[in-house]
């Protein structure tokens, strides 16, 4: 037993529970992606094993990066904003110019056969920068509080404006996470309430424009090119929430108006407590994004309510465990705030994906962390997990270091 513990601590640092959570999510991912991508067998489009092998390759590369990151003491992460923020700002600016000249919004940069989503790099850089600013703030100093708040706000607004033209949900996810980090970091209440009021007003104004202003006039306003797409999704969701399936007069063999949402709803409705079993999904053959945006619907169809709650519990378990790690960080304030920021980011992203799948919010395009397909998403989530594992062994207080692997 002692030899096994020594072997683990020698090659794998940090809390074993974090490794278990990652392994569990990856196992679920491989099973469900294998099932979801079997639709490629229809029409002889391609070998259905090809996307599975590609997904496994992304997972292996991501886990390799996670392993390397987890070996780095957390204090070295403070240097990341100096690299990632200028890089992501430059690439996001490039995408803005490219999209404006081409008239089509682009989210990825291609280089030598690889694709990169700059907004994902921006999220890492902003989270680390915010954690660093909060760790330097003097809670009992009014001037330090004010300066920290305005610096964090300026940084977040800049990258929010850079990200929002290509991906509104990612920009909103980043803003929400930073807001919660400021709350956890004990920014003065008046700043938190003021920011909450401004944010609520901005969201209300945007929704009012989407609902009231006709799409033809939206195109003439100085708004992002994808605003019409956001408007369509909000209007579709608003109209669909007022109807039921009987009122839609669903006809057999006739394509529904919103195939993605409709087949996701059918997948969930046709499930039960235990589901149809892995590999027995029917709606995967009709869901275009079954392996990414709507993979949670496939999980519910195949694994039932039990599987759906199990997946949700894993992310909640991660948040609770990271909260425990953060409480052990003692005077390591940067480690504490960074750990909570990363955990909140992963949790919020998971909740958004699940909410889309079950029809609670409009379609956003956010993947389910470590389960959905997507190279950049998997890589970035693995970096997040590597940073959490690093904090779990290098960021805890000295009095807890001896127990960090328990």
């Amino acid at each position: 037993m002692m030899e096994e513990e020594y072997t683990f601590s020698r090659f794998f640092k940090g809390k074993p529970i974090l490794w278990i959570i990652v392994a569990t999510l990856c196992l679920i991912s491989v099973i469900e992606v294998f099932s979801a991508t079997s639709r490629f067998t229809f029409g002889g489009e391609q070998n259905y094993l090809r996307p599975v092998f590609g997904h496994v390759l992304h997972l292996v590369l991501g886990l390799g990066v996670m392993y390397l990151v987890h070996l780095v003491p957390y204090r070295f992460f403070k240097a990341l904003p100096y690299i990632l923020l200028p890089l992501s700002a430059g690439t996001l600016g490039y995408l803005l110019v490219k999209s404006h000249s081409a008239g089509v919004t682009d989210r990825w940069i291609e280089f030598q056969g690889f694709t990169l989503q700059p907004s994902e790099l921006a999220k890492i850089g902003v989270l680390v920068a915010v954690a660093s600013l909060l760790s330097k703030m003097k809670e009992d100093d009014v001037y330090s509080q004010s300066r920290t708040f305005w610096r964090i706000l300026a940084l977040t607004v800049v990258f929010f404006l850079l990200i929002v033209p290509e991906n509104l949900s990612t920009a909103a996810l980043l803003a929400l996470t930073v807001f919660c980090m400021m709350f956890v970091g004990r920014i003065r209440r008046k700043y938190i309430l003021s920011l909450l009021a401004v944010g609520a007003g901005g969201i209300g104004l945007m929704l009012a424009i989407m609902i009231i202003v006709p799409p033809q006039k939206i195109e003439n306003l100085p708004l992002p090119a994808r605003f019409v797409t956001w408007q369509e999704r909000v209007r579709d969701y608003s109209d669909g929430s007022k109807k039921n399936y009987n009122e839609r007069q669903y006809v057999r063999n006739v394509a529904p108006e919103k195939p993605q949402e409709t087949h996701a709803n059918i997948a969930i409705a046709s499930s039960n407590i235990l589901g149809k079993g892995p590999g027995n999904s029917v709606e995967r053959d009709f869901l275009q994004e079954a392996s990414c945006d709507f993979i949670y619907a496939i999980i519910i169809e195949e694994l039932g309510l039990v599987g759906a709650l199990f997946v949700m519990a894993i992310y909640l378990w991660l948040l609770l465990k990271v909260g425990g790690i953060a409480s052990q960080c003692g005077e390591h304030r940067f480690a504490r705030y960074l750990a909570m920021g990363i955990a909140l980011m992963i949790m919020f992203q998971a909740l958004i994906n699940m909410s889309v799948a079950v029809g609670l919010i409009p379609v956003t395009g956010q993947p389910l962390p470590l389960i959905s397909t997507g190279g950049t998403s998997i890589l970035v989530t693995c970096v997040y997990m590597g940073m959490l594992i690093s904090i779990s062994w290098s960021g805890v207080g000295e009095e807890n270091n001896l127990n960090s692997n328990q």
Side-chain angles (χ1 to χ4, degrees):
M1 183 65 180
M2 292 297 294
E3 183 178 352
E4 291 178 358
E5 291 180 358
Y6 173 77
T7 302
F8 183 89
S9 62
R10 181 180 180 182
F11 295 101
F12 298 92
K13 298 177 180 291
K15 298 277 188 180
I17 189 60
L18 296 179
W19 292 96
I20 293 173
I21 290 174
V22 170
T24 303
L25 290 174
C26 289
L27 178 61
I28 295 173
S29 176
V30 172
I31 294 173
E32 293 305 318
V33 168
F34 177 80
S35 176
T37 54
S38 65
R39 67 184 179 84
F40 289 113
T41 57
F42 285 102
E45 295 182 26
Q46 66 180 60
N47 188 334
Y48 73 93
L49 290 177
R50 182 179 177 183
V52 178
F53 287 149
H55 180 62
V56 171
L57 178 60
H58 288 151
L59 286 175
V60 171
L61 291 175
L63 292 175
V65 172
M66 184 184 77
Y67 183 83
L68 295 176
V69 172
H70 104 281
L71 297 174
V72 180
Y74 83 92
R75 62 182 180 275
F76 291 103
F77 298 150
K78 293 182 180 181
L80 286 177
Y82 297 102
I83 302 172
L84 295 181
L85 293 183
L87 176 62
S88 57
T91 50
L92 286 169
Y94 167 76
L95 286 179
L96 285 177
V97 174
K98 179 182 176 182
S99 299
H100 180 73
S101 59
V104 179
T105 302
D106 198 353
R107 298 183 181 182
W108 294 271
I109 290 179
E110 296 185 6
F111 179 75
Q112 299 295 327
F114 294 93
T115 58
L116 176 67
Q117 195 168 357
S119 59
E120 295 295 332
L121 298 181
K123 288 196 302 184
I124 300 177
V126 171
L127 287 186
V128 177
V130 170
S132 179
L133 289 170
L134 288 173
S135 67
K136 298 175 182 177
M137 182 187 71
K138 298 179 181 179
E139 296 180 7
D140 56 348
D141 187 334
V142 176
Y143 174 74
S144 178
Q145 283 262 351
S146 175
R147 181 179 59 181
T148 301
F149 171 78
W150 287 110
R151 285 183 176 180
I152 291 176
L153 184 62
L155 175 68
T156 306
V157 168
V158 167
F159 280 92
F160 180 90
L161 294 177
L162 286 172
I163 295 173
V164 74
E166 54 137 332
N167 199 327
L168 173 62
S169 61
T170 297
L173 177 63
L174 177 61
L176 176 61
T177 304
V178 171
F179 176 81
C180 291
M181 289 180 70
M182 287 195 289
F183 180 80
V184 173
R186 298 181 181 179
I187 291 288
R188 292 172 66 88
R189 184 179 301 177
K190 69 175 184 178
Y191 295 129
I192 295 294
L193 293 177
S194 299
L195 190 58
L196 184 62
V198 172
I203 293 173
L205 177 61
M206 186 176 70
L207 290 176
I209 294 175
M210 289 180 175
I211 296 173
I212 297 174
V213 181
Q216 297 80 2
K217 294 184 177 181
I218 288 289
E219 297 177 353
N220 299 325
L221 297 177
L223 295 170
R226 285 184 58 82
F227 197 90
V228 174
T229 302
W230 306 336
Q231 183 186 39
E232 290 176 354
R233 290 179 176 178
V234 170
R235 286 192 167 192
D236 285 344
Y237 176 80
S238 177
D239 293 340
S241 64
K242 299 176 182 178
K243 302 177 182 179
N244 55 44
Y245 284 108
N246 292 330
E247 291 174 336
R248 293 174 190 169
Q249 297 180 345
Y250 179 76
V251 181
R252 186 183 298 272
N253 298 327
V254 176
E257 295 181 359
K258 298 185 291 180
Q260 292 279 74
E261 297 91 325
T262 300
H263 287 294
N265 290 336
I266 295 174
I268 296 171
S270 62
S271 181
N272 50 50
I273 299 298
L274 297 178
K276 300 175 180 177
N280 294 323
S281 170
V282 175
E283 298 307 315
R284 66 190 175 191
D285 299 327
F286 306 98
L287 276 168
Q288 184 178 2
E289 299 296 335
S291 64
C292 186
D293 297 357
F294 290 93
I295 196 166
Y296 192 62
I298 304 301
I299 291 174
I300 297 176
E301 183 183 13
E302 295 191 345
L303 304 181
L305 179 62
V306 173
L309 293 177
F310 178 73
V311 172
M312 187 182 301
I314 292 177
Y315 292 109
L316 180 59
W317 193 18
L318 173 64
L319 180 63
L320 294 175
K321 288 299 178 181
V322 173
I325 292 171
S327 66
Q328 295 178 356
C329 287
E331 298 301 321
H332 302 257
R333 299 176 63 196
F334 171 69
R336 179 167 70 246
Y337 296 139
L338 180 59
M340 289 306 301
I342 291 174
L344 288 169
M345 175 71 75
I346 295 175
M347 184 67 185
F348 287 146
Q349 183 173 326
L351 287 176
I352 290 173
N353 179 278
M354 295 175 187
S355 299
V356 168
V358 300
L360 292 179
I361 61 175
V363 177
T364 62
Q366 288 296 322
L368 193 59
L370 280 184
I371 293 184
S372 295
T373 55
T376 303
S377 173
I378 291 173
L379 180 62
V380 170
T381 305
C382 286
V383 171
Y384 286 149
M385 293 305 303
M387 296 170 77
L388 288 177
I389 296 172
S390 170
I391 292 171
S392 74
W393 70 265
S394 66
V396 296
E398 294 181 359
E399 67 278 7
N400 295 314
N401 276 329
L402 294 177
N403 299 320
S404 63
N405 286 324
Q406 296 180 358

